[in-house]
Amino acid sequence: LPVFSDGAVFLAHDGARLTALSTDGLTELWEAGLGDYPGGGAVLFGGTILCPTWFGALRGYDAGDGSRLWELKLGGMCDAPPAGDDEGRLFILRRDGLLVAYRISREAGP
């Protein structure tokens, strides 16, 4: 699923890439490698684009330039986008049915 924010759309796609496009003309703003296939798509969480991967990693990317901020091994495959709340908690459903919760910060990650 695409994520829209501040004149940009963010897409995680099967080319193992995360791409940011401007909503004005759909020109590419930046592109980042995911390392493996996206697991359910990206979400925006506190100015960071979060993308779980099929093979069990969660990575945070700067929404402004696509630089990777951090990475976390989830211990299981993911095929659904994470969800967050207003208290800084992030919830990730692994493919084996385990719901994992983290408290994250933009700089340090989970």
Side-chain angles (χ1 to χ4, degrees), residues 46-68:
T48 302
I49 300 294
L50 304 179
C51 190
T53 66
W54 185 255
F55 295 108
L58 176 68
R59 296 184 182 104
Y61 297 85
D62 183 278
D65 64 12
S67 60
R68 187 183 297 179

PDB file of all heavy atoms in Angstrom, residues 46-68:
ATOM      1  N   GLY A  46       6.292   8.757  12.902  1.00  0.00           N
ATOM      2  CA  GLY A  46       7.135   9.795  13.493  1.00  0.00           C
ATOM      3  C   GLY A  46       8.223  10.321  12.578  1.00  0.00           C
ATOM      4  O   GLY A  46       9.338  10.534  13.018  1.00  0.00           O
ATOM      5  N   GLY A  47       7.947  10.511  11.298  1.00  0.00           N
ATOM      6  CA  GLY A  47       8.951  11.023  10.363  1.00  0.00           C
ATOM      7  C   GLY A  47       9.885   9.961   9.814  1.00  0.00           C
ATOM      8  O   GLY A  47      10.803  10.267   9.074  1.00  0.00           O
ATOM      9  N   THR A  48       9.654   8.718  10.174  1.00  0.00           N
ATOM     10  CA  THR A  48      10.464   7.604   9.694  1.00  0.00           C
ATOM     11  C   THR A  48       9.581   6.661   8.895  1.00  0.00           C
ATOM     12  O   THR A  48       8.475   6.340   9.310  1.00  0.00           O
ATOM     13  CB  THR A  48      11.085   6.831  10.891  1.00  0.00           C
ATOM     14  OG1 THR A  48      11.869   7.734  11.661  1.00  0.00           O
ATOM     15  CG2 THR A  48      11.953   5.686  10.429  1.00  0.00           C
ATOM     16  N   ILE A  49      10.072   6.232   7.747  1.00  0.00           N
ATOM     17  CA  ILE A  49       9.382   5.217   6.966  1.00  0.00           C
ATOM     18  C   ILE A  49       9.850   3.865   7.488  1.00  0.00           C
ATOM     19  O   ILE A  49      11.046   3.581   7.533  1.00  0.00           O
ATOM     20  CB  ILE A  49       9.709   5.337   5.464  1.00  0.00           C
ATOM     21  CG1 ILE A  49       9.291   6.709   4.927  1.00  0.00           C
ATOM     22  CG2 ILE A  49       9.063   4.207   4.681  1.00  0.00           C
ATOM     23  CD1 ILE A  49       7.813   6.952   4.935  1.00  0.00           C
ATOM     24  N   LEU A  50       8.914   3.053   7.924  1.00  0.00           N
ATOM     25  CA  LEU A  50       9.223   1.716   8.440  1.00  0.00           C
ATOM     26  C   LEU A  50       8.787   0.685   7.426  1.00  0.00           C
ATOM     27  O   LEU A  50       7.690   0.780   6.871  1.00  0.00           O
ATOM     28  CB  LEU A  50       8.475   1.457   9.746  1.00  0.00           C
ATOM     29  CG  LEU A  50       8.697   2.453  10.874  1.00  0.00           C
ATOM     30  CD1 LEU A  50       7.861   2.062  12.072  1.00  0.00           C
ATOM     31  CD2 LEU A  50      10.153   2.537  11.242  1.00  0.00           C
ATOM     32  N   CYS A  51       9.649  -0.295   7.207  1.00  0.00           N
ATOM     33  CA  CYS A  51       9.301  -1.338   6.259  1.00  0.00           C
ATOM     34  C   CYS A  51       9.787  -2.686   6.783  1.00  0.00           C
ATOM     35  O   CYS A  51      10.995  -2.915   6.908  1.00  0.00           O
ATOM     36  CB  CYS A  51       9.913  -1.051   4.898  1.00  0.00           C
ATOM     37  SG  CYS A  51       9.269  -2.157   3.631  1.00  0.00           S
ATOM     38  N   PRO A  52       8.850  -3.587   7.114  1.00  0.00           N
ATOM     39  CA  PRO A  52       9.252  -4.950   7.450  1.00  0.00           C
ATOM     40  C   PRO A  52       9.571  -5.689   6.152  1.00  0.00           C
ATOM     41  O   PRO A  52       9.064  -5.336   5.094  1.00  0.00           O
ATOM     42  CB  PRO A  52       8.016  -5.530   8.128  1.00  0.00           C
ATOM     43  CG  PRO A  52       6.881  -4.791   7.515  1.00  0.00           C
ATOM     44  CD  PRO A  52       7.398  -3.410   7.209  1.00  0.00           C
ATOM     45  N   THR A  53      10.414  -6.685   6.254  1.00  0.00           N
ATOM     46  CA  THR A  53      10.747  -7.453   5.068  1.00  0.00           C
ATOM     47  C   THR A  53      10.268  -8.886   5.227  1.00  0.00           C
ATOM     48  O   THR A  53      10.053  -9.374   6.335  1.00  0.00           O
ATOM     49  CB  THR A  53      12.253  -7.436   4.774  1.00  0.00           C
ATOM     50  OG1 THR A  53      12.940  -8.111   5.804  1.00  0.00           O
ATOM     51  CG2 THR A  53      12.759  -6.008   4.628  1.00  0.00           C
ATOM     52  N   TRP A  54      10.118  -9.536   4.100  1.00  0.00           N
ATOM     53  CA  TRP A  54       9.604 -10.896   4.059  1.00  0.00           C
ATOM     54  C   TRP A  54      10.429 -11.834   4.935  1.00  0.00           C
ATOM     55  O   TRP A  54       9.910 -12.751   5.546  1.00  0.00           O
ATOM     56  CB  TRP A  54       9.581 -11.360   2.611  1.00  0.00           C
ATOM     57  CG  TRP A  54       8.958 -12.694   2.415  1.00  0.00           C
ATOM     58  CD1 TRP A  54       9.603 -13.861   2.155  1.00  0.00           C
ATOM     59  CD2 TRP A  54       7.568 -13.020   2.490  1.00  0.00           C
ATOM     60  NE1 TRP A  54       8.707 -14.890   2.048  1.00  0.00           N
ATOM     61  CE2 TRP A  54       7.443 -14.403   2.245  1.00  0.00           C
ATOM     62  CE3 TRP A  54       6.416 -12.274   2.736  1.00  0.00           C
ATOM     63  CZ2 TRP A  54       6.218 -15.048   2.243  1.00  0.00           C
ATOM     64  CZ3 TRP A  54       5.206 -12.928   2.723  1.00  0.00           C
ATOM     65  CH2 TRP A  54       5.118 -14.295   2.477  1.00  0.00           C
ATOM     66  N   PHE A  55      11.738 -11.604   4.995  1.00  0.00           N
ATOM     67  CA  PHE A  55      12.613 -12.501   5.741  1.00  0.00           C
ATOM     68  C   PHE A  55      12.913 -12.038   7.168  1.00  0.00           C
ATOM     69  O   PHE A  55      13.895 -12.445   7.766  1.00  0.00           O
ATOM     70  CB  PHE A  55      13.899 -12.761   4.955  1.00  0.00           C
ATOM     71  CG  PHE A  55      13.621 -13.494   3.674  1.00  0.00           C
ATOM     72  CD1 PHE A  55      13.729 -12.852   2.467  1.00  0.00           C
ATOM     73  CD2 PHE A  55      13.191 -14.808   3.680  1.00  0.00           C
ATOM     74  CE1 PHE A  55      13.440 -13.515   1.278  1.00  0.00           C
ATOM     75  CE2 PHE A  55      12.897 -15.485   2.510  1.00  0.00           C
ATOM     76  CZ  PHE A  55      13.025 -14.830   1.300  1.00  0.00           C
ATOM     77  N   GLY A  56      12.062 -11.190   7.721  1.00  0.00           N
ATOM     78  CA  GLY A  56      12.084 -10.919   9.152  1.00  0.00           C
ATOM     79  C   GLY A  56      12.932  -9.772   9.653  1.00  0.00           C
ATOM     80  O   GLY A  56      13.321  -9.764  10.813  1.00  0.00           O
ATOM     81  N   ALA A  57      13.190  -8.778   8.834  1.00  0.00           N
ATOM     82  CA  ALA A  57      13.883  -7.580   9.310  1.00  0.00           C
ATOM     83  C   ALA A  57      12.889  -6.417   9.307  1.00  0.00           C
ATOM     84  O   ALA A  57      11.954  -6.386   8.517  1.00  0.00           O
ATOM     85  CB  ALA A  57      15.072  -7.245   8.416  1.00  0.00           C
ATOM     86  N   LEU A  58      13.094  -5.482  10.205  1.00  0.00           N
ATOM     87  CA  LEU A  58      12.350  -4.222  10.193  1.00  0.00           C
ATOM     88  C   LEU A  58      13.397  -3.134  10.072  1.00  0.00           C
ATOM     89  O   LEU A  58      14.357  -3.093  10.845  1.00  0.00           O
ATOM     90  CB  LEU A  58      11.549  -4.033  11.485  1.00  0.00           C
ATOM     91  CG  LEU A  58      10.821  -2.696  11.605  1.00  0.00           C
ATOM     92  CD1 LEU A  58       9.689  -2.603  10.586  1.00  0.00           C
ATOM     93  CD2 LEU A  58      10.292  -2.498  13.013  1.00  0.00           C
ATOM     94  N   ARG A  59      13.221  -2.265   9.082  1.00  0.00           N
ATOM     95  CA  ARG A  59      14.185  -1.197   8.864  1.00  0.00           C
ATOM     96  C   ARG A  59      13.479   0.148   8.896  1.00  0.00           C
ATOM     97  O   ARG A  59      12.350   0.273   8.423  1.00  0.00           O
ATOM     98  CB  ARG A  59      14.889  -1.394   7.524  1.00  0.00           C
ATOM     99  CG  ARG A  59      15.703  -2.676   7.513  1.00  0.00           C
ATOM    100  CD  ARG A  59      16.487  -2.843   6.224  1.00  0.00           C
ATOM    101  NE  ARG A  59      17.208  -4.108   6.279  1.00  0.00           N
ATOM    102  CZ  ARG A  59      16.829  -5.211   5.618  1.00  0.00           C
ATOM    103  NH1 ARG A  59      15.750  -5.200   4.871  1.00  0.00           N
ATOM    104  NH2 ARG A  59      17.544  -6.316   5.715  1.00  0.00           N
ATOM    105  N   GLY A  60      14.166   1.143   9.455  1.00  0.00           N
ATOM    106  CA  GLY A  60      13.671   2.508   9.487  1.00  0.00           C
ATOM    107  C   GLY A  60      14.474   3.373   8.540  1.00  0.00           C
ATOM    108  O   GLY A  60      15.709   3.306   8.539  1.00  0.00           O
ATOM    109  N   TYR A  61      13.781   4.175   7.723  1.00  0.00           N
ATOM    110  CA  TYR A  61      14.415   5.042   6.738  1.00  0.00           C
ATOM    111  C   TYR A  61      13.968   6.482   6.953  1.00  0.00           C
ATOM    112  O   TYR A  61      12.805   6.738   7.263  1.00  0.00           O
ATOM    113  CB  TYR A  61      14.011   4.624   5.314  1.00  0.00           C
ATOM    114  CG  TYR A  61      14.458   3.237   4.946  1.00  0.00           C
ATOM    115  CD1 TYR A  61      13.688   2.129   5.279  1.00  0.00           C
ATOM    116  CD2 TYR A  61      15.653   3.025   4.269  1.00  0.00           C
ATOM    117  CE1 TYR A  61      14.095   0.847   4.946  1.00  0.00           C
ATOM    118  CE2 TYR A  61      16.071   1.748   3.939  1.00  0.00           C
ATOM    119  CZ  TYR A  61      15.287   0.668   4.274  1.00  0.00           C
ATOM    120  OH  TYR A  61      15.691  -0.605   3.960  1.00  0.00           O
ATOM    121  N   ASP A  62      14.879   7.416   6.755  1.00  0.00           N
ATOM    122  CA  ASP A  62      14.553   8.827   6.833  1.00  0.00           C
ATOM    123  C   ASP A  62      13.603   9.179   5.690  1.00  0.00           C
ATOM    124  O   ASP A  62      13.907   8.916   4.523  1.00  0.00           O
ATOM    125  CB  ASP A  62      15.834   9.652   6.733  1.00  0.00           C
ATOM    126  CG  ASP A  62      15.560  11.122   6.883  1.00  0.00           C
ATOM    127  OD1 ASP A  62      15.167  11.751   5.873  1.00  0.00           O
ATOM    128  OD2 ASP A  62      15.723  11.647   7.996  1.00  0.00           O
ATOM    129  N   ALA A  63      12.457   9.766   6.015  1.00  0.00           N
ATOM    130  CA  ALA A  63      11.463  10.094   4.995  1.00  0.00           C
ATOM    131  C   ALA A  63      11.951  11.196   4.050  1.00  0.00           C
ATOM    132  O   ALA A  63      11.479  11.293   2.928  1.00  0.00           O
ATOM    133  CB  ALA A  63      10.142  10.515   5.649  1.00  0.00           C
ATOM    134  N   GLY A  64      12.912  11.994   4.485  1.00  0.00           N
ATOM    135  CA  GLY A  64      13.403  13.088   3.657  1.00  0.00           C
ATOM    136  C   GLY A  64      14.386  12.677   2.584  1.00  0.00           C
ATOM    137  O   GLY A  64      14.346  13.189   1.466  1.00  0.00           O
ATOM    138  N   ASP A  65      15.286  11.728   2.905  1.00  0.00           N
ATOM    139  CA  ASP A  65      16.321  11.381   1.928  1.00  0.00           C
ATOM    140  C   ASP A  65      16.504   9.882   1.696  1.00  0.00           C
ATOM    141  O   ASP A  65      17.324   9.470   0.885  1.00  0.00           O
ATOM    142  CB  ASP A  65      17.661  12.001   2.313  1.00  0.00           C
ATOM    143  CG  ASP A  65      18.230  11.472   3.621  1.00  0.00           C
ATOM    144  OD1 ASP A  65      17.729  10.461   4.167  1.00  0.00           O
ATOM    145  OD2 ASP A  65      19.196  12.081   4.112  1.00  0.00           O
ATOM    146  N   GLY A  66      15.759   9.043   2.422  1.00  0.00           N
ATOM    147  CA  GLY A  66      15.837   7.597   2.217  1.00  0.00           C
ATOM    148  C   GLY A  66      17.000   6.904   2.887  1.00  0.00           C
ATOM    149  O   GLY A  66      17.179   5.702   2.716  1.00  0.00           O
ATOM    150  N   SER A  67      17.779   7.617   3.665  1.00  0.00           N
ATOM    151  CA  SER A  67      18.913   6.967   4.333  1.00  0.00           C
ATOM    152  C   SER A  67      18.393   5.999   5.402  1.00  0.00           C
ATOM    153  O   SER A  67      17.407   6.269   6.082  1.00  0.00           O
ATOM    154  CB  SER A  67      19.852   7.995   4.949  1.00  0.00           C
ATOM    155  OG  SER A  67      19.172   8.777   5.914  1.00  0.00           O
ATOM    156  N   ARG A  68      19.069   4.849   5.523  1.00  0.00           N
ATOM    157  CA  ARG A  68      18.672   3.860   6.529  1.00  0.00           C
ATOM    158  C   ARG A  68      19.116   4.345   7.895  1.00  0.00           C
ATOM    159  O   ARG A  68      20.276   4.665   8.112  1.00  0.00           O
ATOM    160  CB  ARG A  68      19.285   2.495   6.231  1.00  0.00           C
ATOM    161  CG  ARG A  68      18.736   1.437   7.179  1.00  0.00           C
ATOM    162  CD  ARG A  68      19.353   0.083   7.002  1.00  0.00           C
ATOM    163  NE  ARG A  68      19.085  -0.456   5.682  1.00  0.00           N
ATOM    164  CZ  ARG A  68      19.536  -1.633   5.281  1.00  0.00           C
ATOM    165  NH1 ARG A  68      20.281  -2.376   6.079  1.00  0.00           N
ATOM    166  NH2 ARG A  68      19.262  -2.070   4.064  1.00  0.00           N
TER     167      ARG A  68
END
